[in-house]
Amino acid sequence: MRTTTTRIAGASFVAAAALALSVGPAFAADGFVSANLKPVAGSGVNGSGTAMVEVKGNQITVTMAANGLLADSPHAAHIHFAAAARHECPGLSDDKNGDGHLNTTEGGPAYGDIVVSLTKTGDTSPKSGLAIDRFDTAPGGKLTYQRGSIAVSSDVAQAISAGESVVVIHGVDYNKDGKYSGDTKSDLMPSLPTEATDPALCGALRVAPAGGMHTGGGLAADGLKSGGMNSVGMNSVGMTSGGQNEALMLVGGAALLAAAGTGVFAARRARTRA
């Protein structure tokens, strides 16, 4: 009798372990990624920032903050991705024309094409990549952005969740005259100076470490002191301190404890009866 009950207890534990592991795929379509935004090589920008993206099915929620940008000027911002890209921020080795700066095209091999335009209102597709009137203007050099229910394709959602996309904020001031100017024209829109569209800050969106998220100087450096991460990060995207990993562990752990507990009590009762 003791042997039979012990086998039942063991079987219960194994079944619980399988159940806990099977919880994973339920979250597989979703994800949470974050990036520390840093100056693009050759941009002359002295700033930083943080971007966070939550993926739920074919919709994303984006929260972003940055500082050190050209004040009171529109800053186009996007999520970039291409399967053939390096999924990273560009370096001066990508400066093909040797002018010491990187334009958007030169950065393409590193971060890929525009897949989401981080506009404040209206369309968010690549078609709005240069909708200058709908991007943040960085009052005082600080940019804050939050927008949910942004529709994306399944491929883009999967790429973001997998940590293969990159956030880029555009708009620099090479000659430090406080405005977009200069004789060199934009590679994207020749009617604009290249300063208006060259990449300024960049960060690769990576999967948050287990039990937490990427931190760094971004949000803290942006002076978002009131409420800290709670007001501009975790709560805004429906996450808590453990994120999805912790939720997964709690569900799986509960299943393990419930089934294992049943087996333990059964074994105890069997030993008592024996």
Side-chain angles (χ1 to χ4, degrees):
M1 179 66 178
R2 182 181 302 168
T3 301
T4 301
T5 307
T6 301
R7 287 176 179 172
I8 293 173
S12 298
F13 188 86
V14 171
L19 175 61
L21 291 175
S22 71
V23 173
F27 293 91
D30 299 341
F32 180 77
V33 292
S34 61
N36 289 325
L37 306 179
K38 299 179 180 180
V40 172
S43 67
V45 172
N46 183 21
S48 62
T50 300
M52 294 171 282
V53 181
E54 183 187 29
V55 181
K56 285 189 174 182
N58 282 11
Q59 291 192 333
I60 63 173
T61 296
V62 180
T63 303
M64 181 171 62
N67 63 16
L69 297 167
L70 179 61
D72 307 309
S73 301
H75 288 272
H78 316 101
I79 296 176
H80 290 252
F81 166 76
R86 305 197 303 267
H87 314 312
E88 63 184 16
C89 294
L92 283 179
S93 59
D94 294 300
D95 177 21
K96 299 306 180 185
N97 64 9
D99 65 354
H101 305 302
L102 293 171
N103 61 31
T104 301
T105 302
E106 289 175 327
Y111 46 63
D113 304 320
I114 296 172
V115 292
V116 180
S117 297
L118 299 178
T119 54
K120 297 186 297 181
T121 60
D123 177 61
T124 56
S125 75
K127 295 179 181 179
S128 292
L130 290 174
I132 301 301
D133 59 325
R134 291 190 284 117
F135 288 105
D136 195 286
T137 56
K142 294 182 179 180
L143 179 153
T144 58
Y145 179 87
Q146 183 178 358
R147 187 169 179 181
S149 301
I150 298 175
V152 297
S153 69
S154 297
D155 289 344
V156 169
Q158 182 176 354
I160 295 174
S161 293
E164 297 179 344
S165 62
V166 179
V167 169
V168 181
I169 299 176
H170 302 259
V172 301
D173 184 16
Y174 295 132
N175 57 18
K176 307 301 180 185
D177 66 352
K179 60 183 178 181
Y180 294 143
S181 61
D183 295 331
T184 304
K185 300 303 180 182
S186 166
D187 57 316
L188 302 180
M189 184 178 288
S191 61
L192 297 174
T194 194
E195 288 186 341
T197 59
D198 282 3
L201 295 177
C202 178
L205 288 164
R206 301 304 189 208
V207 179
M213 60 162 288
H214 295 121
T215 53
L219 289 175
D222 295 328
L224 299 173
K225 298 176 182 178
S226 177
M229 283 291 183
N230 288 331
S231 62
V232 190
M234 298 303 200
N235 288 349
S236 64
V237 292
M239 299 285 287
T240 55
S241 182
Q244 290 177 332
N245 290 332
E246 183 174 322
L248 176 58
M249 288 190 293
L250 287 174
V251 174
L256 280 170
L257 289 173
T262 301
V264 168
F265 284 124
R268 286 177 179 173
R269 285 197 297 269
R271 284 196 295 268
T272 300
R273 290 172 183 171

